[in-house]
């Protein structure tokens, strides 16, 4: 089992039991499982998951328009609408190069 996977499983166990996720608790669970993990992983995961609702994150994986991504999705779709217009302009410029009087097989 990889170190990262062991720490993730430990975090899920803590979240399932409604216990705060800390580096010490992650380390205790992983060492009880007999998996060797570098100490840096515990603090990294503890800091990354601090204040996060893991249950909500797991339930909304792949859900379109869920959470804060919905507001950024509107901005992304607006930017995506502008992108095809820019690509069309670039294609027109490339086509004008064909009229220079020489080609690849001349």
């Amino acid at each position: 089992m990889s170190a990262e996977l062991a720490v993730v499983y430990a975090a899920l166990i803590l979240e399932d039991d409604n216990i705060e996720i800390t580096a010490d608790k992650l380390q205790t669970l992983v060492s009880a499982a007999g998996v060797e993990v570098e100490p840096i992983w515990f603090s990294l995961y503890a800091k990354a998951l601090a204040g996060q609702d893991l249950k909500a994150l797991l339930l909304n994986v792949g859900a379109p328009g869920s959470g804060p991504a919905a507001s950024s999705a509107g901005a992304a779709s607006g930017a995506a609408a502008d992108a095809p217009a820019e690509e069309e302009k670039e294609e027109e410029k490339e086509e004008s190069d064909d009229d220079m009087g020489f080609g690849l097989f001349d």
Side-chain angles (χ1 to χ4, degrees), residues 78-96:
D82 293 338
E86 291 176 8
E87 289 177 12
E88 289 176 12
K89 290 178 184 177
E90 290 178 13
E91 289 176 13
E92 290 175 8
K93 290 179 183 177
E94 290 175 9
E95 290 174 6
S96 66

Side-chain angles (χ1 to χ4, degrees), residues 12-27:
L12 290 173
I13 290 169
L14 291 172
E15 181 67 26
D16 190 49
D17 290 338
N18 294 322
I19 299 173
E20 182 183 2
I21 299 172
T22 63
D24 293 333
K25 292 176 184 173
L26 289 172
Q27 187 172 11

Side-chain angles (χ1 to χ4, degrees), residues 3-104:
E4 294 89 356
L5 189 60
V7 177
V8 168
Y9 283 154
L12 290 173
I13 290 169
L14 291 172
E15 181 67 26
D16 190 49
D17 290 338
N18 294 322
I19 299 173
E20 182 183 2
I21 299 172
T22 63
D24 293 333
K25 292 176 184 173
L26 289 172
Q27 187 172 11
T28 302
L29 278 173
V30 171
S31 62
V35 180
E36 292 185 25
V37 177
E38 294 180 30
I40 187 70
W41 290 111
F42 303 118
S43 60
L44 285 174
Y45 276 89
K47 288 179 184 177
L49 297 174
Q52 299 290 326
D53 185 11
L54 263 139
K55 291 179 184 176
L57 289 173
L58 291 173
L59 292 174
N60 291 325
V61 170
S66 62
S71 61
S72 64
S77 65
D82 293 338
E86 291 176 8
E87 289 177 12
E88 289 176 12
K89 290 178 184 177
E90 290 178 13
E91 289 176 13
E92 290 175 8
K93 290 179 183 177
E94 290 175 9
E95 290 174 6
S96 66
D97 292 342
D98 293 336
D99 297 330
M100 296 178 74
F102 59 89
L104 182 62

